[in-house]
Amino acid sequence: MNKKQIEALLSCIRDNAIDTFDLYNYLNTVHPGDFHFTNGTHFPVLLPGLTADGVFANEEYYLTSKERSDGMTTLSRARRFCYNRGCVLPDFSARNDMLKHREEINASLKLLRFPLLEAGEYWANSDSAGEGEPGEIIFGGPQPGDDMYISGTWKSYKKYVRGCIKVTRAPKKLDYTESETDEECVTVLDSIFKDFKLSRFAFETYLDNKSTYPNPGHYLLKNGKFSESTVYDQEAGIFVNANLYIKLDMPKAPLTVEQAMVYLKAYEAQLPEYFDLRQIAKVVPEINKALTNVGMTDFLLPEDVVKECWCKESLDKAFQNSESSNTEEKRVLLVGHQGNVNNNCLIIEDLWKHLSLD
């Protein structure tokens, strides 16, 4: 993932108070009914841009569309049916999971328009054909390579046939309890520091010196400095966090897609990205208080900033899909950035506030 994707993921984790161990274990555990995609990944729902080619019965086998349409048959024919179609019968455990989780699996099969599991017994590769005379096998059946089975005089067991693919998975274990050398204890927070190339010391130094950096609602002054209170005719922006700020020379009325594009081009202005807009949404009260203190009550931010304000991604998407009749209007917030602190400190701080990482 690139840096913006990592930031968005961490933002989602923080906003929903997701436990990092639960998240990792969930993504590395296959559940019956999960989709298998052609790129080798899996997920419980269909994902845009990916092609699903099967549905998991358990973590080792996923079901293909190869269901024998002629009903039940013998074990020898079941094996040949799968062999001729590049698949295998499930093992004993997967076959049992097919029966146990038939409802969940069928719900996913239905979305793929694959044949559903029948309400009955299926062959497993380890099954015994059972008691009975083997009968006569005649090669050259309904489809090239199939064999036709003419039963003998004794009882012959028959079950449904479902072709599967056996998956070889080697999931990585999540272990944040010890370092690679086992010489020192390492926490989840330490691992995040490593991923972001930031030391614990640098992060703690930032926390110890937060009063020296702008906080939400502080003012950016025209000389580049910041102030906790208003300074007459010197305010240029309002800080969202130590680095991100909203400019005060923003339009008051909501703008359509076309109006916003013209405005941004004319003033060479910068919209917040989606991640930035979410940070703004978290401190609306502080920003509105600061706007009120400088007499800009007509510019107060809406309660639902993400829904009612343009960001770079939403404007680009709306512009690409726009028609001449598009009249959707949203507020335009203009932002700027200052390099007061390492931006990774701000991301980790947000995560650290909502999760137990030590």
Side-chain angles (χ1 to χ4, degrees):
M1 292 189 294
N2 59 40
K3 185 175 180 181
K4 284 297 181 182
Q5 290 172 323
I6 292 173
E7 291 176 353
L9 175 61
L10 292 182
S11 181
C12 177
I13 291 173
R14 181 189 64 248
D15 292 347
N16 296 280
I18 299 172
D19 182 88
T20 49
F21 285 97
D22 289 344
L23 174 63
Y24 187 92
N25 289 332
Y26 180 79
L27 293 177
N28 283 273
T29 301
V30 177
H31 306 83
D34 283 3
F35 294 99
H36 179 274
F37 299 100
T38 53
N39 66 354
T41 59
H42 66 89
F43 209 64
V45 297
L46 293 172
L47 297 174
L50 296 183
T51 301
D53 59 357
V55 175
F56 279 94
N58 64 13
E59 64 179 1
E60 293 187 342
Y61 287 85
Y62 68 85
L63 311 184
T64 69
S65 60
K66 307 302 181 183
E67 172 89 5
R68 188 176 184 275
S69 59
D70 295 333
M72 295 183 175
T73 191
T74 60
L75 179 59
S76 61
R77 289 198 67 190
R79 286 173 172 163
R80 181 170 286 275
F81 175 89
C82 291
Y83 177 81
N84 290 336
R85 291 162 179 79
C87 53
V88 297
L89 291 174
D91 68 3
F92 178 80
S93 175
R95 189 269 308 280
N96 290 349
D97 286 330
M98 286 164 58
L99 301 178
K100 182 179 179 181
H101 301 283
R102 178 170 167 266
E103 184 177 344
E104 303 99 291
I105 293 172
N106 274 349
S108 296
L109 290 172
K110 186 176 181 180
L111 291 175
L112 297 182
R113 297 183 179 180
F114 284 6
L116 305 185
L117 293 179
E118 301 286 350
E121 285 290 321
Y122 277 81
W123 284 115
N125 191 49
S126 56
D127 283 344
S128 170
E131 182 182 359
E133 182 181 339
E136 183 180 0
I137 298 175
I138 301 177
F139 292 95
Q143 294 194 33
D146 285 347
D147 59 318
M148 296 186 67
Y149 183 88
I150 300 177
S151 62
T153 57
W154 297 349
K155 181 178 179 182
S156 180
Y157 290 94
K158 295 184 179 182
K159 299 179 183 180
Y160 291 111
V161 185
R162 187 57 177 244
C164 296
I165 299 294
K166 189 178 188 323
V167 214
T168 303
R169 299 181 71 250
K172 296 180 181 179
K173 294 183 178 180
L174 179 67
D175 186 2
Y176 282 130
T177 59
E178 295 181 348
S179 67
E180 294 179 357
T181 59
D182 296 330
E183 294 179 352
E184 59 177 338
C185 179
V186 179
T187 66
V188 175
L189 186 58
D190 290 311
S191 298
I192 293 175
F193 285 143
K194 182 179 179 180
D195 291 340
F196 277 78
K197 297 179 174 57
L198 186 72
S199 69
R200 177 182 281 268
F201 175 77
F203 179 66
E204 291 178 346
T205 300
Y206 158 71
L207 294 180
D208 292 339
N209 294 277
K210 282 193 66 174
S211 60
T212 63
Y213 304 115
N215 285 320
H218 287 182
Y219 296 96
L220 170 68
L221 303 181
K222 293 178 181 179
N223 60 6
K225 298 181 179 180
F226 76 93
S227 171
E228 296 182 25
S229 57
T230 60
V231 179
Y232 180 71
D233 200 31
Q234 292 300 308
E235 304 92 347
I238 298 173
F239 281 98
V240 176
N241 55 40
N243 291 346
L244 177 68
Y245 63 88
I246 294 176
K247 296 182 179 181
L248 295 184
D249 56 346
M250 56 180 167
K252 178 172 62 176
L255 302 179
T256 65
V257 175
E258 292 184 357
Q259 290 171 338
M261 295 292 288
V262 171
Y263 183 94
L264 294 170
K265 184 175 182 180
Y267 292 94
E268 297 183 351
Q270 179 182 355
L271 274 179
E273 296 185 359
Y274 177 68
F275 182 78
D276 294 334
L277 195 60
R278 291 186 64 183
Q279 310 317 304
I280 294 171
K282 299 177 190 305
V283 292
V284 168
E286 291 89 339
I287 293 175
N288 280 345
K289 181 180 178 181
L291 288 170
T292 300
N293 289 340
V294 292
M296 296 182 63
T297 53
D298 290 342
F299 291 81
L300 297 183
L301 304 190
E303 184 175 344
D304 193 341
V305 164
V306 174
K307 182 178 179 180
E308 299 183 45
C309 296
W310 292 113
C311 66
K312 184 179 183 300
E313 292 83 351
S314 65
L315 187 66
D316 289 345
K317 182 177 180 180
F319 180 74
Q320 293 170 4
N321 300 328
S322 66
E323 299 177 356
S324 57
S325 58
N326 191 328
T327 58
E328 181 183 21
E329 294 183 340
K330 293 184 179 184
R331 286 282 304 277
V332 169
L333 306 181
L334 309 180
V335 296
H337 297 83
Q338 279 196 338
N340 294 311
V341 299
N342 186 323
N343 196 52
N344 290 337
C345 285
L346 304 177
I347 297 172
I348 294 174
E349 181 187 18
D350 284 344
L351 188 62
W352 178 65
K353 283 180 179 178
H354 292 81
L355 298 175
S356 176
L357 297 177
D358 286 313

